[in-house]
Amino acid sequence: MHRFLCTILILLVLTPAAVRAQSDSAPEIFRLDEIEPGQIGFGLSVFSGIEPERFDVEVLGVWRNTSPDTSFILARLDGQGLDESGVIAGMSGSPVYIEGKLAGAVSFAWPFSLEPIAGITPIESMHRLLHGSEMGGPGGIAGQESDALGSIASLDFPDDLLEERLSMLTARPLTEASSGLVWSASGFGNRTRGLLTSGLGDLSPAGKVDAIGSSALVPGAAVAAVLVGGDLQLAATGTVTSRLGAEILAFGHPFLNIGSVQLPMATAEVVTVLSSQFSSFKIANLGENVGAIDLDRMTGIRGQIGVTAPTTPMRVRVEGDRIDTFEMQLARLPSMTPILAAISMLGALDATTQASGEQSLDIEIDFDLGSRGGLQISQSFDSESAGFEAAIYLLALSDYLLNNRLESVALEGLDVRLVQHPQARISSLVEAHATRTLVRPGDKIGLNLDFLAYRGSRWRKALEVDIPTGIPDGRYSLLVGDGVSIDVARITLEKSVPVSFGQAVEFLRGLHSRRDLVVLGVFGGAGLSVAGEILPRLPDSIRSLWTAAASSSAVPLQLALAQQQEIALDVPVEGAIRIDLEVRRQGPLAPSESPSGTEAGGSSDSSTGETGTGQPGRAGRSSEKGAKDG
């Protein structure tokens, strides 16, 4: 009885204001080995506004060794309407006090629970964060250089890549339970919010609030980890567990479980609590960034007030029914920035026009790679899911640049321009004819290419091709088609994998859009691919020496690329065709020697090649910029 009376007196004396006064000194600790069923305590959390309020806690027991060296306190919560709402998402980190001493932080609960039963992370476990700095957590999707670059060149990605990567943003303390965090988003369109919900779970609407000073970050106050800031916002809100000077501990469970990080940390204001049978949550407004989260581990997060976390500025310009520009700041995490960029691009598109439905979408991406300079890439997508395909493309490119195995790269800025057309525009290449097929080196020949427009009529594109002067007698093949198909064919022929980041950047710069019509000239010529470089038409003796000395680093090539010519079209195209020519260096070309093969004297054979990777070869290139289609 004496112990119970002492507990009641402490609960009456230790008000939220008293806890605020203790925020600059280390709180007394109630150790895990002191926990017993039936103990009465209280917790602090914000249920409206910015001031922490008290709720009641009754200890049910200790859930021991759920994983090595990990135990949790189980408790029943009461007060503040918790008997009806259950444990509320946003209460993660809410400090729990027993006998006036800090015992731990609310960490998780179970969806659809009939009672407000919470898991509490012991404060001793959280205090390990005060001295920790280990790295860990998920990496990117780049994987092997050949696989990653091959997928980028061929636009071959899993359909559910966005959902898969979004799911990496959730770290559960236990697989059966839900963390007490609440995800908040603002500025995103409905379809993008649906995608975020499928990957992150319940999503709370978020607003902005005038400055809330860092002094408000006391035990029990709302605090947010900001992944996307600016015109679009994506953040996770929890609760401060303890504060010692400028250092805070919060959440009581992992956020992303990445280890050492630099994430913007913001204040937050709770508007209200929305009760739900599945899981109730707080609706919050985000305040200003007041510090940085610098450690993210299994037992919680550590933040430093007054520190500025670096971010990557991103600008998205959408030209559709109207023109809008969005400015965002992305958390700078190599493993997470790519999905943040992709979802921000998709959110901007969705907020302005539409992210799905029949459409044609042109995308231009400008990466600022700091000391590595700029990288500009363009592509076109035509389908009912063009917006999602463009977002996956941006994700894959960003992920390769930030998570490649060749060199650590900083993304200093990202500009994306999206031009949306209300209907699909893609045309299919159905026939290709050469004006003649018997040629000499240095000749010019004409090509007539027939296309079938989407839901439209046939149209023809005529162009001239220069036959290179250095090719030998015999068969010479022209591969003509859309930029993506020809890139894949070229990579398959050259079988070259970049061995330096500089080579990888040149590979990416050499990729074409579906709005590029590309002609590739190929002839039989033994060569080698060595250390990311193409060495065509080598003498047999040189090839033998290279192969013997360099072993697997030297890949034999049976075909050589002699030329590449590209023409920019107004619309995207698809399909590739091979046209075979015969090169004759000596003797006259008799008028009676009529070309064989298809109509108009050409021979054609559909050929698209296989997916692969490689460094663009050193064949001569020419381009005809701004050429019109049809």
Side-chain angles (χ1 to χ4, degrees):
M1 178 65 71
H2 174 72
R3 182 177 180 181
F4 178 76
L5 290 175
C6 289
T7 300
I8 295 299
L9 288 173
I10 290 171
L11 297 185
L12 292 174
V13 172
L14 196 56
T15 62
V19 173
R20 181 187 297 272
Q22 294 182 7
S23 63
D24 286 334
S25 60
E28 289 189 75
I29 301 302
F30 198 90
R31 299 191 311 274
L32 182 65
D33 59 14
E34 299 177 272
I35 295 293
E36 296 178 3
Q39 289 171 328
I40 302 298
F42 75 98
L44 294 173
S45 198
V46 175
F47 299 93
S48 180
I50 63 173
E51 288 290 337
E53 298 180 75
R54 197 175 76 179
F55 58 90
D56 299 323
V57 176
E58 178 188 357
V59 174
L60 301 177
V62 176
W63 196 9
R64 299 187 184 278
N65 299 318
T66 58
S67 62
D69 198 30
T70 301
S71 298
F72 296 99
I73 304 166
L74 294 184
R76 179 182 289 108
L77 311 186
D78 197 7
Q80 303 296 339
L82 292 170
D83 55 334
E84 296 181 359
S85 67
V87 181
I88 302 166
M91 291 183 70
S92 275
S94 296
V96 170
Y97 300 87
I98 297 176
E99 297 183 4
K101 301 177 181 179
L102 182 59
V106 172
S107 175
F108 60 89
W110 287 269
F112 297 113
S113 175
L114 297 178
E115 294 186 82
I117 307 298
I120 296 171
T121 300
I123 193 60
E124 299 103 306
S125 299
M126 294 188 68
H127 274 184
R128 297 171 190 165
L129 296 169
L130 297 175
H131 309 289
S133 61
E134 298 90 338
M135 293 293 292
I141 64 171
Q144 297 291 337
E145 305 304 310
S146 58
D147 294 340
L149 292 175
S151 295
I152 291 170
S154 61
L155 307 182
D156 183 18
F157 310 109
D159 293 337
D160 61 349
L161 186 57
L162 288 177
E163 293 91 334
E164 175 193 334
R165 294 303 300 277
L166 277 173
S167 66
M168 293 173 60
L169 298 180
T170 59
R172 292 185 174 184
L174 296 169
T175 56
E176 307 91 347
S178 296
S179 72
L181 283 181
V182 56
W183 283 95
S184 302
S186 66
F188 296 91
N190 290 334
R191 291 182 181 274
T192 311
R193 288 182 65 88
L195 180 65
L196 287 168
T197 300
S198 68
L200 304 178
D202 285 339
L203 200 64
S204 169
K208 295 182 181 180
V209 66
D210 292 337
I212 302 172
S214 60
S215 61
L217 290 184
V218 298
V223 63
V226 182
L227 295 183
V228 179
D231 293 333
L232 304 181
Q233 292 187 124
L234 180 64
T237 302
T239 302
V240 176
T241 304
S242 68
R243 174 174 175 176
L244 181 59
E247 189 171 66
I248 72 164
L249 299 179
F251 289 11
H253 61 72
F255 174 39
L256 304 175
N257 196 25
I258 293 182
S260 294
V261 295
Q262 283 291 308
L263 284 174
M265 181 175 69
T267 56
E269 171 193 57
V270 177
V271 179
T272 188
V273 172
L274 183 63
S275 295
S276 166
Q277 290 184 340
F278 176 74
S279 178
S280 300
F281 57 88
K282 298 178 180 181
I283 298 177
N285 292 320
L286 296 182
E288 64 179 340
N289 293 345
V290 294
I293 297 166
D294 63 359
L295 193 60
D296 174 16
R297 299 301 308 277
M298 286 300 296
T299 56
I301 63 170
R302 182 183 71 192
Q304 302 288 339
I305 294 172
V307 176
T308 300
T311 57
T312 296
M314 178 179 183
R315 178 186 296 109
V316 180
R317 176 182 171 89
V318 182
E319 301 175 15
D321 296 337
R322 64 179 193 269
I323 297 177
D324 278 315
T325 300
F326 298 79
E327 305 275 354
M328 282 79 68
Q329 297 82 43
L330 310 181
R332 190 170 289 192
L333 297 171
S335 60
M336 298 298 172
T337 302
I339 184 59
L340 300 179
I343 203 68
S344 296
M345 186 223 82
L346 190 61
L349 178 65
D350 191 17
T352 304
T353 55
Q354 62 185 69
S356 62
E358 183 179 298
Q359 60 181 297
S360 181
L361 191 65
D362 299 329
I363 181 172
E364 297 174 3
I365 309 169
D366 189 349
F367 296 98
D368 180 357
L369 302 179
S371 61
R372 276 293 182 179
L375 173 62
Q376 294 79 39
I377 295 180
S378 62
Q379 193 51 263
S380 292
F381 299 91
D382 267 67
S383 72
E384 290 190 354
S385 57
F388 291 88
E389 292 173 3
I392 291 174
Y393 186 59
L394 176 60
L395 165 60
L397 283 167
S398 304
D399 193 89
Y400 178 79
L401 293 171
L402 293 178
N403 296 295
N404 73 87
R405 299 185 178 189
L406 303 173
E407 184 178 314
S408 177
V409 178
L411 181 57
E412 300 294 341
L414 178 60
D415 280 357
V416 179
R417 177 174 177 251
L418 298 167
V419 180
Q420 188 179 48
H421 307 272
Q423 294 181 340
R425 302 176 299 152
I426 198 161
S427 292
S428 299
L429 176 61
V430 292
E431 289 187 64
H433 312 284
T435 54
R436 55 193 175 93
T437 58
L438 195 58
V439 297
R440 284 180 173 151
D443 280 356
K444 289 182 181 289
I445 66 167
L447 298 182
N448 293 314
L449 311 178
D450 291 334
F451 295 87
L452 181 62
Y454 178 76
R455 293 180 180 173
S457 58
R458 291 172 69 111
W459 56 274
R460 172 167 289 189
K461 176 68 181 178
L463 63 150
E464 279 192 337
V465 174
D466 295 317
I467 305 301
T469 57
I471 59 174
D473 284 356
R475 183 168 125 174
Y476 183 63
S477 297
L478 299 177
L479 302 180
V480 56
D482 69 90
V484 174
S485 296
I486 299 303
D487 283 343
V488 171
R490 180 169 191 153
I491 292 166
T492 303
L493 292 172
E494 293 188 328
K495 300 182 178 66
S496 178
V497 179
V499 296
S500 70
F501 186 71
Q503 289 178 342
V505 170
E506 288 307 309
F507 170 87
L508 294 172
R509 286 195 177 114
L511 294 180
H512 296 91
S513 164
R514 283 193 174 115
R515 284 179 293 140
D516 291 326
L517 182 63
V518 183
V519 179
L520 207 63
V522 182
F523 66 94
L528 288 175
S529 168
V530 181
E533 299 291 339
I534 303 301
L535 306 177
R537 299 185 63 196
L538 292 176
D540 290 342
S541 58
I542 301 297
R543 292 179 76 243
S544 299
L545 287 173
W546 263 107
T547 304
S551 184
S552 60
S553 66
V555 180
L557 303 176
Q558 301 305 317
L559 295 172
L561 304 183
Q563 69 180 116
Q564 179 174 300
Q565 182 172 325
E566 52 206 48
I567 299 168
L569 301 177
D570 288 339
V571 298
V573 296
E574 62 180 357
I577 291 177
R578 189 185 76 211
I579 302 174
D580 291 330
L581 308 176
E582 181 183 347
V583 176
R584 184 180 300 176
R585 306 181 70 89
Q586 302 297 327
L589 301 182
S592 60
E593 292 181 295
S594 61
S596 61
T598 62
E599 177 187 349
S603 66
S604 65
D605 179 26
S606 297
S607 174
T608 57
E610 298 177 358
T611 301
T613 63
Q615 172 76 5
R618 300 296 178 260
R621 294 174 72 174
S622 61
S623 62
E624 188 176 325
K625 299 299 182 183
K628 301 297 182 179
D629 60 78

